């Protein structure tokens, strides 16, 4: 099973600053990597898929990069509504299993 | 607008079963897989499995094999997830989520989610 590891667990950022979140896969997942945002009491929201393609309606301050085992989610200028928990998910092996990272909480500094 | 609406929260005793429903609307129900994902309080996301609503083909995560069953009823655009032999570790919010399709391709990522069903397992 492919394990996903996110870092850091918590990221303290001031509004307007850049946030960089990392996600590492235990083996190559190609570009089969998605990112989600989750706010308290809500279901997750799809941000990016294919490692770098924004989902419908996602602002361009969210960008993704990477392939293989190392991935990055960048939020270029944090807005108040961006403080949330972010999860990565691999779907290379979707016929057998999907796995999520443990999440990164982006909090106000 | 595509939407998934889940059944309500519940409290179950250890050793019993729970069956959660997820009703779809606003799109062609049989065209996209439905996945189930759970989240224990204060914890991360855990994939449970998927079902093809068209033919009821399923795939379950190893952690749940032998204990979970997913079914669909195309007459009412609803999928069900039943989890047996509940323990306190099964206390979680259970989400159904639709796979994302674009340009004729579908991906095992989730663009539409249900509101979640909280299941509490307690004696």
């Amino acid at each position: 099973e492919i394990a996903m590891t996110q870092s850091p667990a918590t990221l303290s950022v001031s509004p307007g600053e850049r946030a960089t979140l990392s996600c590492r896969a235990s083996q190559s997942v190609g570009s089969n990597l998605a990112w989600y945002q989750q706010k308290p009491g809500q279901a997750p929201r799809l941000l990016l898929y294919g490692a770098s393609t924004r989902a419908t309606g996602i602002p361009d301050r969210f960008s993704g990069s990477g392939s293989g085992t190392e991935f990055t989610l960048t939020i270029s200028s944090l807005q108040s509504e961006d403080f949330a928990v972010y999860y990565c998910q691999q779907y290379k092996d979707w016929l057998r299993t999907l796995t999520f990272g443990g999440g990164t909480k982006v909090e106000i500094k | 607008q595509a939407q998934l609406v889940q059944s309500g929260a519940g409290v179950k005793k250890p050793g019993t079963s729970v069956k959660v429903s997820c009703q779809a609307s606003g799109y062609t129900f049989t065209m996209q897989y439905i996945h189930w994902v759970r989240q224990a309080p204060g914890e991360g996301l855990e994939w449970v499995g998927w079902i093809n609503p068209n033919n009821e083909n399923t795939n379950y995560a190893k952690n749940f094999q032998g204990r979970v069953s997913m079914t669909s009823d195309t007459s009412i655009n609803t999928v069900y997830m039943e989890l047996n032999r509940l323990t306190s570790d099964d206390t979680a919010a259970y989400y159904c989520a639709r796979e994302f399709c674009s340009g004729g391709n579908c991906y095992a990522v989730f663009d539409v989610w249900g509101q979640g069903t909280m299941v509490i397992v307690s004696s």
Side-chain angles (χ1 to χ4, degrees), chain A residues 2 25 30 38-39 44-46 54-56 59-60 62 64 69 73 81 85 89 93-94:
Chain A
I2 301 173
Q38 187 179 32
K39 297 179 181 179
R45 173 193 181 198
L46 178 64
R54 279 187 295 277
T56 303
D60 61 6
F62 292 93
T69 62
L73 170 68
E81 61 266 30
V85 179
Q89 177 226 325
D93 200 20
W94 72 274

Side-chain angles (χ1 to χ4, degrees), chain A:
Chain A
E1 179 176 307
I2 301 173
M4 307 301 293
T5 303
Q6 291 186 242
S7 62
T10 303
L11 187 61
S12 299
V13 186
S14 299
E17 288 188 341
R18 174 188 297 255
T20 303
L21 289 66
S22 296
C23 175
R24 174 177 293 181
S26 61
Q27 58 186 272
S28 177
V29 299
S31 294
N32 298 294
L33 192 284
W35 290 94
Y36 299 86
Q37 176 194 68
Q38 187 179 32
K39 297 179 181 179
Q42 297 184 15
R45 173 193 181 198
L46 178 64
L47 297 177
L48 300 163
Y49 63 97
S52 62
T53 303
R54 279 187 295 277
T56 303
I58 302 303
D60 61 6
R61 64 179 181 272
F62 292 93
S63 63
S65 64
S67 66
T69 62
E70 300 283 344
F71 300 88
T72 300
L73 170 68
T74 301
I75 311 171
S76 60
S77 176
L78 271 159
Q79 307 298 301
S80 57
E81 61 266 30
D82 301 335
F83 292 96
V85 179
Y86 293 83
Y87 293 96
C88 62
Q89 177 226 325
Q90 70 80 18
Y91 55 100
K92 177 179 187 291
D93 200 20
W94 72 274
L95 279 173
R96 287 184 293 182
T97 189
L98 304 175
T99 44
F100 292 90
T104 291
K105 181 179 181 181
V106 177
E107 64 176 24
I108 301 175
K109 187 174 182 180

Side-chain angles (χ1 to χ4, degrees), chain B residues 77-99:
Chain B
N77 288 359
T78 299
V79 297
Y80 302 91
M81 183 211 63
E82 183 170 24
L83 189 61
N84 303 312
R85 302 192 301 278
L86 293 168
T87 73
S88 58
D89 289 341
D90 295 315
T91 294
Y94 289 78
Y95 293 98
C96 59
R98 184 187 77 166
E99 71 170 359

